[in-house]
Amino acid sequence: MSRPLHRGVSGLRNSGNSNDFWDSQLKDKTEKEDLDRNRPSDPSYLSLRFPFRLFCLDNSHSKYGTTENGFASDSFSIGSPRSRHKLTVLFLKLSLIVIVILALTGSFWWTLSISTSSRGHIFHGYRRLQEQLVSDLWDIGELSLGPSRMKEIDFCPEESENHIPCFNVSENLAMGYSDGNEYDRLCGQSSRQSCLVLPPVNYKIPLRWPTGRDVIWVANVKITGQEVFTSGSLTKRMMMLEEEQISFRSASLMFDGVEDYSHQIAEMIGLRNESNFIQAGVRTILDIGCGYGSFGAHLFSKQLLTMCIANYESSGSQVQLTLERGLPAMIGSFNLNQLPYPSLSFDMLHCARCGIDWDKKDGIFLIEVDRVLKPGGYFVWTSPRTNVQSFLRNKEKQKRWNFVRDFAENLCWELLSQQDETVLWKKTGKKNCYNSRKPGSGPPICSKGQDIESPYYRPLQNCIGGTHSRRWLPIEERPTWPSRSNLNKNELALYGLHSEELNEDTAKYKTAVHNYWSLLSPLIFSDHPKRPGDEDPSPPYNMVRNVLDMNARYGGLNAALLKAGKSVWVMNVVPTSGPNYLPLILDRGYVGVLHDWCEAFPTYPRTYDMVHAEGLLSIETSQHRRCTMLDIFTEIDRFLRPEGWVIIRDTAPLIGSARVLTTRLKWDARVVEIESNSEERLLICQKSFFKRQAI
């Protein structure tokens, strides 16, 4: 009995019975003949019914050719399953060709019509990929050093409580430095610190401003009772040591009060009192050997900003105590190198028994004073050596005084007044004074090659600097504070800036400061460690007084904080690896310094309440640096107070890398998105308060 026929089964189908094959062939032939008889004679029928066949005719023989049974195997045979399958495949192929042609055409027109802004987005995306690559390579470098590099950093031994890298007196002595030069700054690879500095056993969070200006905890600084009462700067003695506190007062049994002293200086200038310093063009003062900052503390209430500098001291440090009071200070020395300030930086320099022998080294220290003093600025020197009555008894003192007086005259300084132990000079505001000097009298004017506007610890120069600067303008001709902080179009042109750039920077930081202050609360950290033995602090939660901006740019953060009425001062740091706008910052009436962040900052541990860094990581990673991100963060931890804040704003990849490091530093940290479409992130960190256990 024959099997039923299967429609749609190919004539080449294998079967176990040969009759199936012939039955199938006969069936196909019969159907074909019937179809040919019923097909219209119009040749267009084929073209309408099978358009793809006409379009894709092949001159070659059919795939199957003519079988040995005499049946032609036509792949486009009507009604066969094979024909429908091949038509479907052919249709898909043609569709794919059309899609490819359309895609290429669209791509071509898109390329021609791309706009400049689109190119900018593409370039920006490319830069983003580069930044991501840098961040990834940095992470890979850290990870390649093994799991040991990812563990938490150990605490430093107790002797490092007040240690400052780059200031190692014993090492400097061993290298042959002497005559005071052993206290100078000397940085190298060995000066890096790879551990976390713990506070002293009895350390306490400083009192809030302004109470903290007049009272500090004695355990927070390294000082002995004997050092409190030893001789030194005039303002050093304006303090009292109690059981747990040191209190500073404006009056002393041994000296006139600092208020009377500053009033005397104002009168010597020709002013009614110190409140009129602003009207005379004075806003920023460099206080050399400042004692413990009482002079600057008093003038702060008069809107005057005083920066204290003093040599490194292992104990009883003037800089450490001044910063503990919430006043500007940093370690600085005249011994070997120029100060890290631009020429023409300060309106007044003050030295009250500061311990510097101005007549030594052929007056080179006075030349450095002249360099950083603005035209028309004042130099105030208070010392027993300037007392005329003492000259009658000591000819040597008279000789030394005569040298300083004559040298100052050759610097084109005018001696305005001399009262008791205080002498006051005014620097010339006219450049032609230097040319009118007698030949061979006084130091020469620096050449353009020597007259570097912003030197970085360059050896002291024996020539008058700043005369080639376009910023030469007497202080009495400058706008008075606070107008001087808003420079006009012509003034900004001196720094290569446009008004729009400064206005944009001001607006950005106005918003940023508002946002920062809302984030500076332990409440954003559910696991925030409370102060040992204390309850939750009341608003403003902790003291924020000393602020350090690691990449200050134009001083926008400083301006915004003052505009918002915050009782803070800002150390505006300009990295040596980035654009230098430090002259602009100082001319706006702020204080700042040039610094290389691969080196230790010239300050003591636990001296700043808040550290801000916008774009610093991008600057540092774009350079061929000799330090890592971890080195920079470890240094931040050193000078940040317990419970102090760190605010870092940078690209998302770099913030991600920084966030990983905060765990090793034992910081509480959160990443905050600035805007939904922004490529930058905000890293808010708070340093935990760890205490060393008493033995």
Side-chain angles (χ1 to χ4, degrees), residues 358-359 366 381 391 398-415 418 423 425:
W358 297 109
D359 59 309
L366 289 171
W381 182 28
F391 298 160
Q398 184 174 6
K399 180 181 178 181
R400 298 177 68 178
W401 157 249
N402 290 340
F403 175 87
V404 174
R405 182 194 58 195
D406 295 342
F407 197 87
E409 183 179 352
N410 289 327
L411 288 172
C412 287
W413 293 1
E414 179 186 359
L415 179 58
Q418 184 172 3
V423 185
W425 286 275

Side-chain angles (χ1 to χ4, degrees), residues 201-319:
V201 174
N202 297 318
Y203 182 87
K204 295 182 180 180
I205 299 297
L207 301 172
R208 298 186 184 95
W209 182 271
T211 305
R213 175 191 60 195
D214 301 320
V215 179
I216 66 173
W217 301 108
V218 68
N220 289 10
V221 296
K222 187 176 181 182
I223 191 170
T224 64
Q226 182 64 28
E227 288 172 327
V228 172
F229 300 108
T230 55
S231 60
S233 168
L234 181 150
T235 55
K236 259 190 177 182
R237 296 195 179 185
M238 298 179 181
M239 55 193 292
M240 293 179 63
L241 179 63
E242 300 176 2
E243 185 177 351
E244 290 186 340
Q245 297 176 336
I246 298 176
S247 62
F248 300 85
R249 58 200 188 282
S250 60
S252 169
L253 298 176
M254 301 184 67
F255 295 96
D256 291 334
V258 67
E259 183 174 357
D260 292 338
Y261 174 67
S262 57
H263 186 82
Q264 177 190 1
I265 294 174
E267 289 183 335
M268 293 172 71
I269 294 176
L271 306 173
R272 183 174 181 180
N273 54 48
E274 63 270 29
S275 299
N276 299 114
F277 276 140
I278 293 288
Q279 283 67 39
V282 177
R283 156 67 180 173
T284 56
I285 301 171
L286 184 65
D287 195 1
I288 306 165
C290 61
Y292 298 133
S294 293
F295 183 63
H298 171 69
L299 294 179
F300 188 84
S301 62
K302 313 299 180 184
Q303 300 188 57
L304 300 174
L305 194 57
T306 304
M307 168 65 72
C308 162
I309 62 167
N311 285 338
Y312 166 76
E313 297 165 291
S314 59
S315 180
S317 167
Q318 304 171 63
V319 171

